[in-house]
Amino acid sequence: MGRDGRPTRDKILAESKALVFENGFSGTSIDQILERTGITKGAFFYHFKTKNALARALIEEFAREDIFHMNEALKKTENLKEKPLERLLQFIQEFIDMMCEVEDPYSCLYASYTYEPSQFDEETLNHIAETMLTWRTTMELLIKDVLEKYDPTVDVDIKSLADHTVVIFEGAFVVSKALKGRDLTADHLKHLRNYFQLLFKPKKTTG
Amino acid sequence: MGRDGRPTRDKILAESKALVFENGFSGTSIDQILERTGITKGAFFYHFKTKNALARALIEEFAREDIFHMNEALKKTENLKEKPLERLLQFIQEFIDMMCEVEDPYSCLYASYTYEPSQFDEETLNHIAETMLTWRTTMELLIKDVLEKYDPTVDVDIKSLADHTVVIFEGAFVVSKALKGRDLTADHLKHLRNYFQLLFKPKKTTG
DNA sequence: AATTTTAAACAAACTAGTTGGTACAATAAA
DNA sequence: TTTATTGTACCAACTAGTTTGTTTAAAATT
């Protein structure tokens, strides 16, 4: 057996992610990655067959962590299963709390890749879409539970309401970065929580 | 008089913008631009001293059109000046109508540049931030007019509520592109309109 | 006559990816 | 217990092609 390559691989992934947020993917050269990690070209191509294999590994890791956080928030609010609106609001609150700890603008690889789509293979781009659809499915379930006990105060399309959470995340990331101040995601998730709160009122049960 | 260079310059700007949305800025080569426009390298560098001068021109044109549309919507709703909530809702409605006409996902240069910030000079990035702050200022005015006659049903921070419109635009662009379907911006602006509608109720005037 | 555009060659720096070889750690054979 | 073997992890130098940007002289447009 040889030595353990995981620390090197992890370092490549961590530094590459940071570089992609600064330069974009095609704006990030492998030489830059070597400089930051202190490894050599041979080592890089030992771990990743091509630059695009790195892109795939990056998005897979990012999406795995994203869905992990989503499921953690789901678990944490399981005790509110019988109070679906409270659960939905608390689910959002979990992310408000999470983003309150962030100082610098948070960046999202989905948006980064989405704005230079030609640089990635179909599989990589599909992985982003599928992860977003996982969010949609989860939000749809939470919302449908609410709709059993509450009526929307205005007419809404459930699917687009389900997508609205991801929309606000992505939008808040862009605006936070563009304004170069602190991360504003928590602030905008609060508006989402407000919207959910105002949107649903107890059902008038007829009998 | 010499010949008119504007058609060539405009063609460079139009094709470059499309290419930047496909490849990102650093993923777009000048050779690609020449191929699409059918002009030569000499002509390109006659109009733009550097690749970065093109980036600046692109964002200036994009921001000018953006603010133009914003001001058009402001003008169109001026007749509702005495009904500030109706005006705010109609202001958003103008963009819902506008985005309903779009089929393919709409792209935003602000987000594109924001996700590869190191590629651009400070001036270019500041122009994006300033344009977003113009949106903030406008929205703040519209919202403050509403607050004179209406009380928010839940506590909100005005500045972040003002930013929320741009957040939803940017987020909807990202999600629309990532899901590779039709543009979803109109759908999400409807949620913003709903939120404003639910957030404000007539003031209980004490007198 | 002034401005715009072409064509083609050129340079210097940078690009992703390859090559041949080395250091290392665990294991198996003597 | 020493020695040979094996496969992983890594390195330095190299290749072939692309990048932005320059130059120059001629030609086209108004």
Side-chain angles (χ1 to χ4, degrees):
Chain A
M1 277 298 133
R3 38 208 273 224
D4 185 11
R6 273 170 303 183
T8 300
R9 197 189 128 98
D10 289 348
K11 215 197 306 185
I12 294 172
L13 287 172
E15 296 299 332
S16 298
K17 190 168 73 175
L19 279 165
V20 168
F21 287 140
E22 294 168 35
N23 316 323
F25 181 73
S26 67
T28 299
S29 71
I30 289 167
D31 282 345
Q32 279 176 293
I33 298 170
L34 306 185
E35 212 178 316
R36 286 252 185 132
T37 52
I39 63 161
T40 59
K41 213 160 234 192
F44 177 89
F45 282 103
Y46 173 78
H47 286 284
F48 301 99
K49 208 180 169 191
T50 63
K51 196 192 174 195
N52 247 269
L54 169 68
R56 218 174 308 129
L58 275 176
I59 206 75
E60 274 163 16
E61 192 192 45
F62 190 86
R64 194 175 56 249
E65 286 171 5
D66 181 32
I67 296 302
F68 174 79
H69 288 135
M70 190 194 74
N71 284 327
E72 282 291 295
L74 264 183
K75 260 191 241 169
K76 277 189 188 170
T77 58
E78 240 168 11
N79 59 310
L80 294 168
K81 230 174 177 175
E82 303 307 312
K83 299 170 176 175
L85 180 55
E86 282 177 54
R87 187 188 191 183
L88 178 63
L89 299 177
Q90 184 57 37
F91 179 78
I92 303 298
Q93 186 64 45
E94 295 291 333
F95 292 99
I96 294 173
D97 295 344
M98 188 185 295
M99 299 309 295
C100 273
E101 286 161 31
V102 174
E103 327 84 27
D104 293 327
Y106 187 89
S107 282
C108 178
L109 273 189
Y110 308 151
S112 180
Y113 282 26
T114 295
Y115 269 98
E116 41 178 346
S118 72
Q119 310 296 328
F120 309 98
D121 50 43
E122 215 56 32
E123 194 190 325
T124 301
L125 295 175
N126 283 341
H127 201 274
I128 293 172
E130 280 158 26
T131 309
M132 285 194 180
L133 292 177
T134 302
W135 268 94
R136 176 189 284 179
T137 305
T138 300
M139 292 305 299
E140 265 183 329
L141 286 175
L142 288 173
I143 291 166
K144 275 177 181 162
D145 280 349
V146 174
L147 284 174
E148 280 180 21
K149 296 188 177 174
Y150 296 81
D151 275 327
T153 52
V154 297
D155 227 36
V156 285
D157 173 61
I158 306 303
K159 207 172 76 177
S160 95
L161 185 59
D163 286 343
H164 203 54
T165 303
V166 176
V167 163
I168 285 177
F169 268 111
E170 295 299 337
F173 297 155
V174 170
V175 173
S176 299
K177 286 194 87 175
L179 293 180
K180 293 181 271 188
R182 64 174 185 85
D183 189 276
L184 306 169
T185 312
D187 296 346
H188 292 280
L189 286 175
K190 282 178 194 166
H191 290 298
L192 176 67
R193 193 197 50 193
N194 291 344
Y195 181 44
F196 280 134
Q197 201 167 41
L198 294 167
L199 194 54
F200 299 109
K201 64 179 176 194
K203 224 168 194 167
K204 290 168 189 162
T205 47
T206 56
Chain B
M1 281 296 132
R3 72 193 262 200
D4 186 12
R6 272 170 304 183
T8 300
R9 197 189 127 99
D10 289 347
K11 214 196 308 186
I12 294 173
L13 287 171
E15 297 299 333
S16 299
K17 190 167 74 175
L19 280 165
V20 169
F21 287 140
E22 294 168 35
N23 316 322
F25 181 74
S26 67
T28 299
S29 70
I30 291 168
D31 281 347
Q32 279 177 295
I33 297 169
L34 305 185
E35 212 178 319
R36 285 252 186 134
T37 52
I39 63 158
T40 59
K41 210 165 234 192
F44 177 89
F45 282 103
Y46 175 79
H47 286 284
F48 301 100
K49 207 181 169 190
T50 63
K51 196 190 175 194
N52 246 268
L54 169 68
R56 219 174 308 129
L58 274 176
I59 206 75
E60 274 164 16
E61 191 193 46
F62 190 86
R64 194 175 55 249
E65 286 171 5
D66 181 31
I67 296 301
F68 174 80
H69 288 134
M70 191 193 74
N71 285 326
E72 282 292 294
L74 264 184
K75 261 191 241 170
K76 277 190 190 170
T77 58
E78 238 166 13
N79 59 310
L80 294 168
K81 230 173 177 175
E82 303 307 311
K83 298 171 177 175
L85 181 54
E86 282 177 54
R87 186 187 191 185
L88 177 63
L89 300 177
Q90 184 57 36
F91 179 78
I92 303 299
Q93 186 64 44
E94 295 292 333
F95 293 99
I96 294 173
D97 295 343
M98 187 184 297
M99 299 309 295
C100 273
E101 286 161 31
V102 174
E103 327 84 25
D104 294 326
Y106 187 88
S107 283
C108 178
L109 273 189
Y110 308 150
S112 181
Y113 283 26
T114 294
Y115 270 99
E116 41 178 345
S118 71
Q119 309 296 328
F120 309 99
D121 50 43
E122 215 57 31
E123 195 189 324
T124 301
L125 295 174
N126 284 341
H127 202 274
I128 293 172
E130 281 158 27
T131 309
M132 284 194 181
L133 292 177
T134 302
W135 269 93
R136 177 189 283 179
T137 305
T138 299
M139 292 305 299
E140 264 182 331
L141 287 176
L142 288 174
I143 291 167
K144 275 176 181 162
D145 280 349
V146 174
L147 284 173
E148 280 181 22
K149 297 187 176 173
Y150 296 81
D151 275 326
T153 51
V154 297
D155 227 36
V156 285
D157 173 61
I158 306 304
K159 207 172 76 176
S160 95
L161 185 59
D163 286 344
H164 203 55
T165 304
V166 177
V167 164
I168 285 177
F169 268 111
E170 295 299 336
F173 296 155
V174 170
V175 173
S176 298
K177 287 194 86 174
L179 293 180
K180 293 181 271 188
R182 63 173 185 84
D183 188 276
L184 306 169
T185 312
D187 296 346
H188 292 280
L189 287 174
K190 282 178 195 167
H191 290 297
L192 176 68
R193 194 197 49 193
N194 291 344
Y195 181 43
F196 281 133
Q197 201 166 39
L198 295 166
L199 194 54
F200 299 110
K201 64 180 175 194
K203 223 168 194 169
K204 290 168 192 164
T205 47
T206 58

